[in-house]
Amino acid sequence: MIYIAELDDEGKRLDAYLTEVLGDISRSKIQAHIKQGEITVNNEVKKASYTLKEDDKIEVTLTNTTQTEILPEDIPLEILYEDENMCVVNKPSGMLTHPTTTETSGTLVNALLYKFQNNLSDINGEFRRGILHRLDRNTSGLLMIAKNNATHEILANQIKEHSIIKKYRAIVKGIWEKDEETINLPIGRNPKAPHKMMVTPDGKESITILKVLKRFKEATSVELTLITGRTHQIRVHTSYNKHPIYNDTLYGAGKGKVSTQEQVLQSFYLRFTKPFSDEIITIEIPPDEKFNKVLNYFEGKK
């Protein structure tokens, strides 16, 4: 099996990455397979501690082991665009994009397998069938899905070349002063908390354009356009600027008075070129229930 490291995988240890994508294989066993030369990166044997880079090719040939099977599940999908090669779905808040070693059901991939069976790209393995880019569990909104590997590669190149326009809406704590601002701050993994990201001088270039939509007494409604697509980019950039996203407890917002499933963040706009065509596809969705719930709270707060 061959896996291609995505943008979100940059900075991960090789053994940690494979623990995530392979399923029920312990990290110690993966380390043993690496030592035995059964795992290579760009056709070379690397140490388990090797730090992945985007587009690294990881080839895995394991002996005497089994891998977790990801099962199709009849979970409703809201499909907003579909053709023979791809689709765009509206992922609800609270749903994982793809399975992990600890959660192998109830994810978007389980739903996609039920809907499309084997008609999904497998460039990044069974745990990420069809997945081109991800949204955090509690971030809702638009995701592109590839039905075959050729389409996956075309759309992945559009993402890499920043030709896809992705916009988010969010409500942040406090009053954002500038009406429009380009946030250009490098992001990398937090060495003290690997599940978090942080602004760091040795991080990857990360650019977010923020536009204020409306200011309230204690919060601001904003639109955010991603120029790059680092893990947790919007959440890190807003938190670093002392205005974390409402209810984003991971990045310092604390629990707000309005109960929601964590951060009030929605991917609401996509613009991309249809694969194997010059047609431009634009999709935009209205605020979801979670966003409106918090928006209405601040609209009524005097």
Side-chain angles (χ1 to χ4, degrees):
M1 179 65 72
I2 294 176
Y3 301 90
I4 305 297
E6 300 175 349
L7 189 62
D8 284 351
D9 299 317
E10 282 196 337
K12 293 181 181 177
R13 283 175 55 114
L14 175 61
D15 55 354
Y17 167 81
L18 289 172
T19 300
E20 176 186 332
V21 300
L22 292 177
D24 282 352
I25 305 176
S26 69
R27 193 159 170 172
S28 60
K29 285 185 179 179
I30 287 174
Q31 290 170 348
H33 287 298
I34 292 171
K35 288 181 180 179
Q36 292 165 11
E38 296 178 330
I39 296 169
T40 61
V41 180
N42 303 325
N43 300 316
E44 296 180 3
V45 176
K46 301 288 187 181
K47 292 183 178 180
S49 60
Y50 171 78
T51 300
L52 288 176
K53 301 176 182 63
E54 184 185 5
D55 294 330
D56 274 349
K57 183 177 77 172
I58 303 102
E59 189 164 1
V60 179
T61 309
L62 304 187
T63 57
N64 301 320
T65 190
T66 58
Q67 185 175 340
T68 299
E69 183 182 6
I70 306 303
L71 299 176
E73 295 179 9
D74 187 5
I75 301 170
L77 282 173
E78 184 180 357
I79 298 176
L80 301 176
Y81 169 82
E82 184 176 5
D83 61 33
E84 66 275 18
N85 294 304
M86 66 170 294
C87 68
V88 175
V89 301
N90 183 14
K91 185 191 82 68
S93 176
M95 174 186 275
L96 278 176
T97 300
H98 60 72
T100 68
T101 55
T102 56
E103 293 188 55
T104 57
S105 67
T107 75
L108 179 60
V109 166
N110 296 99
L112 292 171
L113 287 170
Y114 185 89
K115 174 71 175 178
F116 299 113
Q117 291 85 47
N118 291 324
N119 296 320
L120 293 166
S121 67
D122 63 358
I123 284 177
N124 287 311
E126 292 300 307
F127 272 45
R128 302 183 186 183
R129 289 292 297 270
I131 302 300
L132 284 152
H133 57 124
R134 284 167 276 181
L135 293 176
D136 299 334
R137 180 199 291 269
N138 294 312
T139 298
S140 62
L142 302 175
L143 276 174
M144 297 182 294
I145 304 299
K147 294 183 180 180
N148 53 67
N149 288 351
T151 299
H152 189 121
E153 291 177 349
I154 290 171
L155 291 173
N157 282 333
Q158 288 188 37
I159 292 172
K160 187 175 180 179
E161 294 166 0
H162 310 308
S163 61
I164 292 176
I165 298 175
K166 291 189 284 185
K167 295 183 180 182
Y168 292 69
R169 57 169 62 98
I171 296 176
V172 300
K173 293 188 69 176
I175 309 303
W176 200 289
E177 293 185 0
K178 294 182 180 180
D179 290 339
E180 189 164 339
E181 182 172 358
T182 298
I183 305 170
N184 188 347
L185 295 166
I187 292 175
R189 291 203 173 270
N190 186 329
K192 296 181 180 179
H195 63 292
K196 295 177 64 175
M197 308 299 285
M198 63 183 292
V199 171
T200 176
D202 58 354
K204 299 291 184 179
E205 181 184 45
S206 306
I207 304 173
T208 306
I209 299 174
L210 182 145
K211 179 182 178 181
V212 169
L213 300 179
K214 190 169 184 178
R215 295 180 178 90
F216 303 103
K217 186 176 180 181
E218 300 172 355
T220 308
S221 174
V222 297
E223 177 186 291
L224 306 116
T225 302
L226 288 183
I227 304 304
T228 57
R230 309 300 174 193
T231 302
H232 297 179
Q233 178 173 314
I234 290 173
R235 300 168 68 187
V236 172
H237 275 170
T238 54
S239 176
Y240 186 84
N241 279 277
K242 310 302 181 186
H243 296 292
I245 294 173
Y246 191 82
N247 271 347
D248 190 357
T249 57
L250 185 63
Y251 287 102
K255 279 290 184 183
K257 292 183 180 180
V258 183
S259 177
T260 65
Q261 288 177 310
E262 285 290 320
Q263 67 269 8
V264 182
L265 179 63
Q266 181 190 26
S267 171
F268 77 95
Y269 179 96
L270 267 177
R271 186 175 187 271
F272 59 92
T273 303
K274 178 179 176 178
F276 311 105
S277 166
D278 293 328
E279 183 181 355
I280 303 298
I281 306 295
T282 301
I283 302 170
E284 184 172 353
I285 55 175
D288 63 10
E289 182 180 356
K290 178 171 71 171
F291 192 93
N292 278 329
K293 183 179 180 181
V294 177
L295 191 64
N296 290 338
Y297 168 77
F298 284 111
E299 288 274 12
K301 192 173 178 64
K302 304 300 181 182

